[in-house]
Amino acid sequence: MTLTTLDWLILAACLFFPFIVAARAARRAGESLGQYFLAGRELPWWLAGTSMVATTFAADTPLAVAGIIATDGIAGNWIWWSAALGSMLSVLFFARLWRRAGILTDVAFVELRYSGRPAALLRGCRALYLGLPVNCLIIGWVNLAMAKILSVTLGWDRLTAVFVGLALTGGYVSLSGLRGVVLTDLVQFALAMAGALAVAVYALRVPEVGGVAGLTEQLPESTFRFLPVLGGPDTAGGPTLTLSVTAFIAYLGVQWWASWYPGQEPGGGGYLAQRMMSARDERHSVLAMLWFTLAHYCVRPWPWILAGLAALVLYPDIADREAGYAMIIRDHLPAGWRGLVLGGFVAAFMSTMSTQLNWGSSYLVHDVYARFLRPEASDAHYVRVARLTTLGVMAASAGVTLYLDTVRQAWELILESGAGIGLVLILRWYWWRVNAWSEIAAMVAPVVGVIWLSLFTSVAFPESLLYLVAWTTVCWLGVTWLTPPESEQTLVSFYTQVHPGGPGWVRVAAAAGASPPEPIRGQLLDWAAGVALVYGTLFGMGALVLPGRWTALPYLATAVGCGLFLYRRFAARGWAAVAR
């Protein structure tokens, strides 16, 4: 693909804008770890929420969606659509609690909720596990996607693409900390969405595609299904997600609450918790998570899906289905738009990479170095170490990229290796009996299970989730009952500070002489309405852009009704006031 001078100018502006922000944010970021990793806990909801969306809009996502559609049709997106149920849990149950906890990282929660050597062991091991292997794997698959785009569009080899992208991102993130990350995220998200819309529009305009009507004429009807086919092979032919009842249960009944996955962690956590903890107050934390959930599942997917459908028509025989999206950019975008779309991809890439580098480094510096190695050092010392650690994680991640083949391969590995831990991450907020050994068992058990299944069985994803979740749950529950509970002092201190709801804390509340826990029945009703709001909006928008527009009415009516219900509930709690 040939870029004009205009294309290069647009691309250069996208590349160097973050460095301007970084230079302005560097001084405040250097004041303390709270400024470097949480932006001083001053972020408004719209900025914190948009930063979450920008982070999950990476260079890998449109390519992964194109590959999913080629294999399983639109319904294949349930591999990540199912996580909306967990995201609404974070909105209604956990956003307030994370902000209330007053900690710097979600891993530090371990020593707020538990005590003693088991808590210290868990904190150190979890920080190392998430900060290095898991974080490097995530960065690796984002790098892989960007490398594919640059290879197809500009002819760069993977090694060059990886090191150029990482060097640029690592440079500005190490300077600016989270404040610089979220400020650049705002512009980068707008660029990435503009690029995604441009790819979809120009892909549909190609004569061989013939718009949406042309897609419906050339692709099997099964490709456009929103829901998978259950129980047996699809007789209509064409790509569609065909699941056994067992696999369907794994997707919709298990995966969203049982598996750990970046950006959709049960109970919040990861970089989502980082943004919730950086919000101005609890209300901003709730609204930030709500905006993220709606934008993540309802606003972004359909431009990617339309481009993925067009790639099926334009490139039916390519071996690497994920590369079809990049080939549209190369072959069918005019001058000027090429630079903007590539700039949008660069923006999406840098947004995700900046968060991953900052988030992963926060574990290594705050939860390992400052906690175990140099607990008495100054803030200035910790910030210097954070900046160096960011560059070190960047270098380690570059090597991981070279060993990955597909984005989906990495997605499935992460889901399997965290299968079953989700339940303990939820219940630790709502059941006093969960202890540090519970989480340790839940971390180790799925890894052992994955190794066993891969060596001695032919069980594959997603059916593997059912086996892994059952195994992990039995392990951590057994360990919980075989080990002593946390001390009364630790439990009372946690309840007094965080004040979680539900019947699991009645005994502790009485011991603390505090007000009883808030009932969670109302929150469960809100959660059901929130889930209906998300899926109603998602499928309503899909029905508007695809054939059968009248079918959008019941979806959108459901979304409007649930939205009004939630608005009234939020207003009663004081969450719906306009944020300033």
Side-chain angles (χ1 to χ4, degrees):
M1 180 177 77
T2 303
L3 297 183
T4 65
T5 302
L6 177 60
D7 292 321
W8 282 112
L9 288 173
I10 294 172
L11 187 56
C14 296
L15 286 172
F16 291 108
F17 165 76
F19 289 93
I20 299 173
V21 176
R24 295 179 63 87
R27 184 185 61 80
R28 292 195 67 184
E31 292 175 359
S32 68
L33 284 184
Q35 286 288 349
Y36 192 82
F37 288 126
L38 289 183
R41 304 184 194 269
E42 300 169 347
L43 299 183
W45 67 268
W46 53 269
L47 185 55
T50 302
S51 180
M52 297 183 206
V53 188
T55 296
T56 55
F57 189 155
D60 64 298
T61 327
L63 271 68
V65 169
I68 287 169
I69 289 173
T71 305
D72 296 322
I74 292 176
N77 287 285
W78 278 102
I79 191 175
W80 65 281
W81 282 350
S82 62
L85 288 86
S87 292
M88 286 307 301
L89 275 184
S90 294
V91 174
L92 296 163
F93 284 83
F94 301 112
R96 291 178 301 161
L97 301 182
W98 278 117
R99 183 61 180 82
R100 201 176 292 168
I103 49 182
L104 190 68
T105 69
D106 61 309
V107 171
F109 173 86
V110 167
E111 291 194 295
L112 178 67
R113 173 66 175 79
Y114 314 123
S115 61
R117 290 184 179 179
L121 173 66
L122 175 60
R123 181 177 179 179
C125 290
R126 190 158 178 78
L128 288 171
Y129 172 69
L130 295 176
L132 284 175
V134 170
N135 195 34
C136 289
L137 182 61
I138 297 167
I139 294 174
W141 82 54
V142 176
N143 276 334
L144 173 65
M146 195 64 203
K148 285 184 180 182
I149 292 167
L150 294 177
S151 174
V152 170
T153 56
L154 299 181
W156 289 13
D157 63 88
R158 182 185 294 192
L159 191 64
T160 301
V162 166
F163 280 101
V164 169
L166 275 175
L168 288 171
T169 309
Y172 85 80
V173 175
S174 64
L175 284 174
S176 66
L178 184 65
R179 189 181 305 276
V181 169
V182 297
L183 290 174
T184 53
D185 278 348
L186 193 64
V187 176
Q188 288 169 336
F189 176 64
L191 285 172
M193 280 303 302
L197 287 168
V199 173
V201 168
Y202 280 103
L204 292 175
R205 287 182 179 179
V206 176
E208 293 88 340
V209 175
V212 173
L215 290 177
T216 59
E217 292 174 3
Q218 298 179 72
L219 296 175
E221 181 274 337
S222 61
T223 310
F224 299 91
R225 290 175 178 162
F226 293 166
L227 297 174
V229 174
L230 297 182
D234 178 31
T235 55
T240 189
L241 181 60
T242 303
L243 296 176
S244 65
V245 174
T246 302
F248 183 72
I249 293 172
Y251 268 119
L252 291 186
V254 174
Q255 178 180 307
W256 64 270
W257 59 265
S259 291
W260 185 94
Y261 183 82
Q264 59 186 51
E265 299 91 337
Y271 55 78
L272 298 187
Q274 184 189 41
R275 300 304 194 274
M276 288 185 270
M277 292 185 292
S278 68
R280 288 177 179 172
D281 53 35
E282 292 177 24
R283 180 169 61 87
H284 282 267
S285 181
V286 171
L287 294 177
M289 193 65 200
L290 178 62
W291 162 234
F292 159 73
T293 301
L294 292 172
H296 179 64
Y297 294 102
C298 305
V299 174
R300 301 181 314 168
W302 291 108
W304 303 337
I305 290 171
L306 290 172
L309 293 169
L312 267 180
V313 174
L314 293 170
Y315 311 106
D317 301 320
I318 57 173
D320 185 354
R321 290 297 195 175
E322 293 178 356
Y325 194 97
M327 294 170 75
I328 292 175
I329 301 172
R330 180 192 65 188
D331 298 338
H332 299 291
L333 264 70
W337 280 106
R338 294 172 185 169
L340 179 63
V341 170
L342 279 181
F345 264 105
V346 169
F349 168 80
M350 295 177 79
S351 173
T352 301
M353 296 296 295
S354 61
T355 286
Q356 293 298 146
L357 290 170
N358 182 267
W359 165 68
S361 298
S362 72
Y363 294 150
L364 299 177
V365 176
H366 181 253
D367 299 298
V368 178
Y369 184 80
R371 169 64 180 83
F372 298 103
L373 302 179
R374 290 287 302 277
E376 303 299 330
S378 66
D379 279 336
H381 174 80
Y382 288 140
V383 171
R384 286 195 299 271
V385 172
R387 286 171 168 156
L388 292 174
T389 302
T390 299
L391 298 176
V393 172
M394 175 196 74
S397 303
V400 175
T401 309
L402 305 178
Y403 292 94
L404 291 176
D405 296 319
T406 68
V407 174
R408 184 166 181 167
Q409 167 197 14
W411 278 10
E412 293 178 357
L413 177 61
I414 288 286
L415 285 169
E416 287 184 321
S417 62
I421 194 174
L423 185 58
V424 75
L425 296 181
I426 292 172
L427 289 182
R428 65 184 185 174
W429 293 94
Y430 288 97
W431 185 28
W432 68 273
R433 188 61 179 80
V434 173
N435 61 33
W437 292 111
S438 307
E439 279 201 47
I440 292 171
M443 282 182 61
V444 174
V447 176
V448 173
V450 168
I451 295 172
W452 175 269
L453 289 179
S454 62
L455 292 178
F456 302 109
T457 75
S458 58
V459 177
F461 184 90
E463 286 88 347
S464 60
L465 292 179
L466 292 179
Y467 294 93
L468 292 168
V469 168
W471 157 251
T472 303
T473 302
V474 168
C475 288
W476 79 258
L477 282 174
V479 168
T480 299
W481 291 115
L482 291 172
T483 53
E486 296 299 328
S487 68
E488 194 84 353
Q489 180 183 358
T490 300
L491 295 173
V492 166
S493 175
F494 175 76
Y495 181 82
T496 303
Q497 178 168 342
V498 179
H499 209 81
W505 290 97
V506 172
R507 186 193 68 79
V508 176
S515 57
E518 178 186 355
I520 62 173
R521 293 187 299 274
Q523 288 173 281
L524 288 171
L525 180 62
D526 294 346
W527 172 76
V531 170
L533 167 64
V534 171
Y535 287 127
T537 307
L538 172 65
F539 297 138
M541 293 182 68
L544 285 176
V545 300
L546 294 172
R549 293 183 179 179
W550 289 108
T551 61
L553 289 178
Y555 291 125
L556 294 177
T558 299
V560 170
C562 292
L564 289 173
F565 173 80
L566 282 177
Y567 179 81
R568 290 173 181 171
R569 301 277 288 183
F570 278 23
R573 296 187 179 104
W575 296 348
V578 176
R580 293 184 296 274

